[in-house]
Amino acid sequence: MAIGLGALEYLAEMGLLTPSTRMLDVGTQNLYNAAPERITAFLRKFGRSLEPLQIEEAAGRISRASIVRPGERTAFLADLLDLTEIDYVGYDVCPAPRTDIFDLNNDHIPRDRRGKFDLVLNFGTTEHVVNQLNAFEVIHDALRLGGVVMHQLPSVGYVDHGYFNYNPLLLNDLAQINRYEVVDRFYTAAGSGGFHSDGLDVRDPDHMNTAHSAGAPQTLPNFNVNYVLRKTVAERFRIGLELRTTHATLAEQVAKNYRDAPQRSAASLIKRKLKFWHG
């Protein structure tokens, strides 16, 4: 999980990152490939009373650490933000600077931090988490009213990364049912991968017993989907049901679960179903 300075510069230009921002990093990010001159520019804007020589030293040190070298510590986003007034905390299952140990599969936002964050970053984190419901509910609960989350998630390609690739339909529906304002949305290129990394071949659907029966490119382009969403109502997190790609009529006993979705939280729906299943 990593972030580049381009994302921080984008957020600053959008007015979503300021010296007084309270930021939650869902999955503590490494800082990759940060050029010294761009770190210098960032610290001149956000740094706290740093002398020019201090900025120059920090820019060189952090830039060098932002390049992955086997056996050496890679820079964290916290290393940069420690030199600013930005109030930063990361949630992760692995110890790291300015990080609280937090399991997105099971943990919930502590009461004293609910609705406290101006900005939440989900940069390539939730695709590694099986419990998607809890992960997105954590993000929702962390945001203050008017706060913004930026998701940067694997979408196209990525045949060998994480558990999930994200369709914009999911993020569009989450925005609609939770009444988030869509501030921005776009794709970004993210290198390439290939079909054969996990030993899988590609087969013709009419000849599935024949290995390698369909041609396939050696590499595939990877693209991240980026969504910037603003929380506009102080209500519980809710889920929807994706029906635009179905070719059948939804059963009435299921439809009634979603007919009053604006009045039902995701947690209450799941808990009700668990009670039904287990008596």
Side-chain angles (χ1 to χ4, degrees), residues 89-106:
V89 64
Y91 279 179
D92 209 310
V93 292
C94 302
R98 300 276 292 275
T99 296
D100 291 350
I101 300 302
F102 192 98
D103 180 2
L104 286 170
N105 273 320
N106 297 294

Side-chain angles (χ1 to χ4, degrees), residues 20-233:
S20 61
T21 294
R22 293 166 296 178
M23 180 192 296
L24 172 61
D25 194 4
V26 177
T28 300
Q29 305 300 311
N30 287 109
L31 181 66
Y32 279 179
N33 302 319
E37 59 271 19
R38 294 175 73 179
I39 296 175
T40 297
F42 185 86
L43 290 177
R44 283 175 178 166
K45 183 172 184 177
F46 291 97
R48 54 168 190 265
S49 304
L50 296 175
E51 298 294 332
L53 285 178
Q54 292 176 304
I55 291 177
E56 181 181 353
E57 183 279 328
R61 170 172 48 81
I62 295 172
S63 176
R64 186 186 187 284
S66 73
I67 300 171
V68 178
R69 293 180 173 88
E72 295 187 21
R73 179 187 182 277
T74 304
F76 287 92
L77 176 58
D79 296 332
L80 177 64
L81 298 187
D82 267 344
L83 302 174
T84 75
E85 297 295 337
I86 296 167
D87 184 2
Y88 169 92
V89 64
Y91 279 179
D92 209 310
V93 292
C94 302
R98 300 276 292 275
T99 296
D100 291 350
I101 300 302
F102 192 98
D103 180 2
L104 286 170
N105 273 320
N106 297 294
D107 294 338
H108 303 283
I109 289 287
R111 289 189 178 274
D112 63 349
R113 282 185 167 168
R114 290 181 187 174
K116 298 297 185 182
F117 293 96
D118 305 303
L119 178 64
V120 177
L121 302 181
N122 176 24
F123 271 59
T125 296
T126 54
E127 74 267 24
H128 303 283
V129 178
V130 170
N131 192 344
Q132 294 286 290
L133 171 63
N134 193 66
F136 282 95
E137 192 162 28
V138 164
I139 291 169
H140 178 88
D141 289 347
L143 282 172
R144 67 167 176 82
L145 186 63
V148 166
V149 56
M150 182 171 181
H151 300 284
Q152 185 178 99
L153 299 168
S155 180
V156 179
Y158 283 106
V159 297
D160 57 355
H161 180 88
Y163 291 143
F164 301 97
N165 286 9
Y166 291 84
N167 192 312
L169 284 176
L170 168 67
L171 297 165
N172 289 336
D173 279 2
L174 284 179
Q176 181 178 7
I177 199 167
N178 289 288
R179 290 190 275 178
Y180 298 145
E181 173 194 352
V182 180
V183 178
D184 204 359
R185 56 181 185 169
F186 53 93
Y187 287 102
T188 48
S192 62
F195 280 116
H196 307 294
S197 57
D198 285 330
L200 299 174
D201 64 298
V202 182
R203 302 183 184 183
D204 188 306
D206 292 323
H207 302 88
M208 288 192 289
N209 284 327
T210 306
H212 305 284
S213 52
Q218 291 300 306
T219 59
L220 294 172
N222 295 334
F223 287 88
N224 292 320
V225 64
N226 298 259
Y227 267 65
V228 182
L229 305 173
R230 189 188 311 275
K231 186 176 181 178
T232 65
V233 293

